[in-house]
């Protein structure tokens, strides 16, 4: 007989045997152990849900469609994904007759940062934890929306080791699990770092990099330092392939982000200007009006009126 369990926004159909494991996992999260792991031998249904912790979901057997914040991709044995707090995701089997075996590791920001009240921490924020010491400026693809591939079971073996420690709870099991998770994250980030992406189209590389580092200075120089292309080549290749200059593209991306901040936050125009990479507020206003045909001040007043802010 199957049960439906709903905890922390999670809704999945699981067997009686798995109920105990899920209860223990959530008990540990609530008890501030901040990490847990559970094995689903046949995940029948995983409806759209979100939660307040991070999740690593690894496909051990079967194929599924994983949908994350409206974007779907097929995942198979050896694939795994990270889901950050607040994201909505789900799994659906591609073939009902085939078992979908998944191992889930959940953990909170507090695990790596100690006491933290940040409930909206992103995966990129997580990578800045001192224990990880990851060079985030070398990351090109957004890891929270990337399907990672474990071609040699290196990650899976670490997850099995974590599951063993979690199940037996011997001396120092918590620290061992924490260290294994750190190793998994650091190993995974290799797949989305520039030195590891040999065959990526330069324009795709630029766009991926800008999506993460739009607020930084000298972006093409940074990308050049972490890839095999010169800044001059990246600039000319971008113009040749897109018809737009890199400067114009960067301005457009920054203005899109600024518009979202104006719409969804109470930040001032000055704060938004700095958040998207412009220290000169006057210049930011000129750029924004050029791309959006309205000043950020007027747009902010419009949304403030709508939302009674």
């Amino acid at each position: 007989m199957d049960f439906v369990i709903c905890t922390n926004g999670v809704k999945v159909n699981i067997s009686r045997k798995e109920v105990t494991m899920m209860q223990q996992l959530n008990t540990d999260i609530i008890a501030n152990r901040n990490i847990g792991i559970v094995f689903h031998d046949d995940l029948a249904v995983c409806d759209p849900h979100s939660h307040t912790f991070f999740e690593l979901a690894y496909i051990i057997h079967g194929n599924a469609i994983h949908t994350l914040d409206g974007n779907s991709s097929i995942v198979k044995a050896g694939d795994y994904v990270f889901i950050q707090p607040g994201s909505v995701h789900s799994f659906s089997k591609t073939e009902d007759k085939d078992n979908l075996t998944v191992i889930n590791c959940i953990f909170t920001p507090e695990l790596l940062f100690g006491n933290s009240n940040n409930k909206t921490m992103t995966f990129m924020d997580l990578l800045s934890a001192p224990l990880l010491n990851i060079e985030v400026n070398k990351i090109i693809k957004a890891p929270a929306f990337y399907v990672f591939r474990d071609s040699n079971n290196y990650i899976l073996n670490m997850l099995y080791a974590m599951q063993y420690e979690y199940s037996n709870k011997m001396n120092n099991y918590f620290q061992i699990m924490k260290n294994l998770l750190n190793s998994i994250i650091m190993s995974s980030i290799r797949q989305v770092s520039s030195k590891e992406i040999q065959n990526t189209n330069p324009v795709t590389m630029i766009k991926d990099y800008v999506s993460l580092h739009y607020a930084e200075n000298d972006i093409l120089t940074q990308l050049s330092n972490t890839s095999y292309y010169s800044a001059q080549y990246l600039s000319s290749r971008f113009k040749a392939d897109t018809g737009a200059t890199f400067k114009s593209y960067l301005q457009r991306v920054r203005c899109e982000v600024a518009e979202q901040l104006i719409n969804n936050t109470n930040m001032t125009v000055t704060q938004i200007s700095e958040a998207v990479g412009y220290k000169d507020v006057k210049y930011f206003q000129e750029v924004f009006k050029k791309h959006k045909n309205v000043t950020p001040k007027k747009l902010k007043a419009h949304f403030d009126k709508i939302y009674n802010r």
Side-chain angles (χ1 to χ4, degrees):
M1 180 177 179
D2 288 340
F3 294 83
V4 175
I5 251 187
C6 295
T7 53
N8 291 316
V10 179
K11 179 183 179 183
V12 292
N13 288 350
I14 59 178
S15 66
R16 182 185 298 273
K17 178 181 178 181
E18 289 174 308
V19 169
T20 301
M21 290 190 293
M22 287 294 290
Q23 289 175 337
Q24 180 62 53
L25 184 148
N26 284 284
T27 297
D28 278 8
I29 290 293
I30 294 170
N32 295 322
R33 299 309 291 169
N34 295 318
I35 188 170
I37 194 164
V38 66
F39 178 86
H40 298 283
D41 185 43
D42 183 16
L43 189 63
V45 176
C46 181
D47 293 330
H49 65 277
S50 65
H51 29 64
T52 58
F53 43 76
F54 286 91
E55 176 184 345
L56 188 168
Y58 187 109
I59 310 300
I60 298 176
H61 181 269
N63 299 301
I65 298 174
H66 180 240
T67 302
L68 176 64
D69 291 339
N71 299 308
S72 298
S73 56
I74 295 177
V75 291
K76 56 186 182 297
D79 290 340
Y80 61 102
V81 293
F82 290 95
I83 301 98
Q84 58 193 9
S87 285
V88 177
H89 81 116
S90 64
F91 283 107
S92 59
K93 294 197 295 186
T94 55
E95 296 185 20
D96 289 338
K97 63 181 181 180
D98 194 16
N99 280 11
L100 178 60
T101 306
V102 179
I103 189 166
N104 291 97
C105 175
I106 68 173
F107 56 97
T108 67
E110 288 80 1
L111 180 71
L112 301 181
F113 280 92
N115 293 329
S116 173
N117 295 319
N118 189 346
K119 300 303 181 183
T120 59
M121 184 173 288
T122 67
F123 195 77
M124 284 293 288
D125 294 331
L126 188 76
L127 299 182
S128 66
L131 289 176
L132 294 175
N133 195 28
I134 290 173
E135 296 180 272
V136 294
N137 66 313
K138 293 184 178 180
I139 297 173
I140 288 183
K141 295 182 177 293
F145 297 93
Y146 187 80
V147 177
F148 292 87
R149 182 69 185 161
D150 182 25
S151 58
N152 56 6
N153 290 336
Y154 180 63
I155 302 297
L156 180 59
N157 287 333
M158 285 193 281
L159 286 170
Y160 279 148
M162 290 178 68
Q163 185 182 22
Y164 176 83
E165 294 293 335
Y166 184 69
S167 299
N168 291 280
K169 292 183 172 55
M170 297 178 289
N171 288 343
N172 300 317
Y173 84 93
F174 173 73
Q175 192 61 43
I176 292 173
M177 289 184 69
K178 183 176 178 179
N179 290 338
L180 285 167
L181 179 62
N182 288 344
S183 296
I184 288 173
I185 293 174
M186 288 187 286
S187 300
S188 299
I189 293 304
R190 293 171 179 169
Q191 296 187 38
V192 292
S193 296
S194 55
K195 287 291 186 184
E196 304 298 326
I197 303 175
Q198 302 279 345
N199 300 316
T200 300
N201 178 282
V203 172
T204 301
M205 183 185 295
I206 291 170
K207 289 183 176 180
D208 287 341
Y209 195 81
V210 167
S211 70
L212 295 174
H213 304 280
Y214 56 82
E216 298 173 17
N217 297 321
D218 302 321
I219 289 177
L220 289 184
T221 299
Q222 287 188 36
L223 192 50
S224 174
N225 291 336
T226 59
S227 69
Y228 299 96
Y229 305 105
S230 69
Q232 182 178 3
Y233 172 80
L234 291 171
S235 178
S236 60
R237 179 65 183 271
F238 190 88
K239 177 69 185 307
D241 286 12
T242 68
T245 65
F246 172 74
K247 180 180 178 180
S248 176
Y249 175 75
L250 178 60
Q251 287 179 346
R252 181 155 56 87
V253 171
R254 286 175 167 178
C255 288
E256 290 294 333
V257 176
E259 184 177 16
Q260 294 175 18
L261 294 174
I262 291 171
N263 185 5
N264 299 311
T265 74
N266 290 320
M267 295 172 66
T268 66
V269 171
T270 299
Q271 291 172 330
I272 291 172
S273 175
E274 293 176 351
V276 298
Y278 294 112
K279 293 183 179 180
D280 187 334
V281 179
K282 184 177 179 180
Y283 180 66
F284 163 65
Q285 291 172 328
E286 293 173 357
V287 170
F288 191 90
K289 185 175 181 180
K290 173 185 174 183
H291 287 272
K292 295 296 182 179
N293 297 315
V294 63
T295 66
K297 184 177 180 179
K298 286 185 178 180
L299 188 62
K300 182 176 178 358
H302 170 73
F303 285 121
D304 286 349
K305 183 176 181 181
I306 291 177
Y307 301 131
N308 294 316
R309 295 191 298 212

